[in-house]
Amino acid sequence: MNIWTSISSVIIILLLIALGYVLNEKGWFVEGFNKSISNLITKIALPCSIFVSVLKFFTKEKSSSLIWPMCGVIISYIIAFLLSKALRTRKGRIGTFRASFVNANAIFIGLPLNIALFGEKSLPYFLVYYIINTISLWSLGAFLIAKDSKDEAHSAQKITFKKLISKLLPPPLLGFLVSIVFLWFEIPVPEFANSALTYVGNLVTPLSLIFIGIVLNKSGLKSIRFDKDTIGVLLGRFVISPLVLFLLLLPIPLSSLLKQTLIVQSATATPTVTPMLAAEAGGDVDFATNTVATSTILFLFVVPVLMQLLQFV
């Protein structure tokens, strides 16, 4: 990928994010619209996009690639545990620190960025990272946040099995699993159904970027701050996690597109759900919100640098 392609892709991303920011600032969206658009993306458009793309680009052999992001996540968790102790992160934000350090905002930032930079052909490789990221976030990540409360009342609460299963099997992942069944058993999909799913799936990228703009506007750019824990999370997202994957993948003879996709995904902002998880657990919601806002904003500046570094992958 040459520098002009990288720049043009980033400009497109910034323009759509800016559109969401400006429209929300002008009051175009009613209260709760961001929740509606989030549901439309994650529960309808993204499963459709994944289903179509898997049948179009995925192969049975690509499932073996899951091992690499899995190893990267495990190593990153170890580093996150050690760093949180070194920074003496206080109770109520330890779990959020570790989960935010390791896990990425794969859907709302990673996916549109990947498609903008590499095209639809990269989506199967995105799914490789997305599967591991989803399992990591809603298993160990959610557990770490849930058990790290600032008060005993919340600490006593537990995540129910039903709730955990619903989080471990979100609609996008279900869409992937269904598509694997169709792929494995070579079940034909009617052309009209494929076209309809494609149209709906094409909503993902623009809506995701507009959603980010809305979130940034609501969080307020003036409220962001940089304390030692926030800086630690940012180092994890933008330096340590991608560096771990880079070093893991460097000696392995894999597709350059796979390597680039995994590294890009590992360097995206923190998941937008971490403030919600922190709130449910009685944790430090302000810290969780701040990490989402700061990492999302700074990611806009990280992308151009990341694109240039990917030329060496």
Side-chain angles (χ1 to χ4, degrees), residues 56 85 138 166 210 244 281:
K56 188 175 181 181
K85 288 185 176 296
W138 291 107
S166 69
I210 290 172
V244 166

Side-chain angles (χ1 to χ4, degrees), residues 9 15 27 32 52 57 63 76 93 103 130 152 170 173 195-196 201 227 237 271 273 279 282 306 312:
S9 298
L15 286 175
V52 172
F57 298 112
S63 59
S76 294
R93 58 167 62 177
N103 298 293
Y130 170 76
E152 295 301 323
L173 191 52
S195 297
D227 54 31
R237 294 305 323 126
V273 297
L306 185 62
F312 301 100

Side-chain angles (χ1 to χ4, degrees), residues 81-99:
F81 271 77
L82 296 175
L83 185 58
S84 64
K85 288 185 176 296
L87 293 175
R88 297 182 180 178
T89 303
R90 67 173 181 264
K91 186 174 176 58
R93 58 167 62 177
I94 297 175
T96 300
F97 178 96
R98 293 168 178 172

Side-chain angles (χ1 to χ4, degrees), residues 1 10 21 60 67 89 230 239 271 280 283:
M1 178 183 297
V10 172
Y21 186 97
K60 299 173 185 177
I67 185 65
T89 303
T230 300
V239 179
E280 290 179 353

Side-chain angles (χ1 to χ4, degrees), residues 201-268:
N202 287 340
L203 295 171
V204 171
T205 301
L207 288 183
S208 296
L209 294 172
I210 290 172
F211 174 82
I212 294 171
I214 295 172
V215 170
L216 287 177
N217 180 262
K218 285 183 174 294
S219 63
L221 300 182
K222 295 180 180 179
S223 64
I224 64 174
R225 60 195 181 280
F226 295 93
D227 54 31
K228 61 182 177 63
D229 293 328
T230 300
I231 293 173
V233 169
L234 295 175
L235 283 174
R237 294 305 323 126
F238 299 143
V239 179
I240 297 174
S241 291
L243 182 60
V244 166
L245 261 180
F246 174 79
L247 294 176
L248 277 174
L249 297 173
L250 188 61
I252 310 299
L254 297 171
S255 160
S256 60
L257 182 58
L258 170 61
K259 291 183 178 181
Q260 291 174 343
T261 296
L262 294 181
I263 292 171
V264 165
Q265 293 307 311
S266 68
T268 56

Side-chain angles (χ1 to χ4, degrees), residues 114-123:
N114 229 71
I115 293 177
L117 294 176
F118 308 124
E120 286 189 357
K121 64 181 181 296
S122 68
L123 194 48

Side-chain angles (χ1 to χ4, degrees), residues 15-158:
L15 286 175
L16 287 174
I17 291 175
L19 177 63
Y21 186 97
V22 171
L23 292 181
N24 194 69
E25 181 69 23
K26 291 184 175 295
W28 277 44
F29 305 128
V30 298
E31 187 66 30
F33 177 77
N34 58 327
K35 177 64 175 177
S36 299
I37 198 173
S38 173
N39 285 333
L40 176 59
I41 294 168
T42 58
K43 296 179 180 179
I44 304 296
L46 185 55
C48 291
S49 176
I50 288 173
F51 181 86
V52 172
S53 298
V54 167
L55 295 183
K56 188 175 181 181
F57 298 112
F58 206 70
T59 61
K60 299 173 185 177
E61 292 75 20
K62 288 178 181 175
S63 59
S64 61
S65 302
L66 290 168
I67 185 65
W68 305 115
M70 185 186 302
C71 290
V73 163
I74 292 172
I75 295 172
S76 294
Y77 266 121
I78 294 172
I79 297 173
F81 271 77
L82 296 175
L83 185 58
S84 64
K85 288 185 176 296
L87 293 175
R88 297 182 180 178
T89 303
R90 67 173 181 264
K91 186 174 176 58
R93 58 167 62 177
I94 297 175
T96 300
F97 178 96
R98 293 168 178 172
S100 300
F101 185 101
V102 176
N103 298 293
N105 189 342
I107 291 181
F108 294 112
I109 294 183
L111 176 59
L113 176 65
N114 229 71
I115 293 177
L117 294 176
F118 308 124
E120 286 189 357
K121 64 181 181 296
S122 68
L123 194 48
Y125 297 127
F126 162 81
L127 294 174
V128 169
Y129 189 89
Y130 170 76
I131 292 169
I132 298 301
N133 188 74
T134 299
I135 294 173
S136 167
L137 175 61
W138 291 107
S139 54
L140 183 55
F143 171 76
L144 291 173
I145 295 175
K147 78 181 189 71
D148 179 39
S149 172
K150 292 187 292 186
D151 59 80
E152 295 301 323
H154 277 91
S155 295
Q157 295 180 2
K158 295 182 179 179

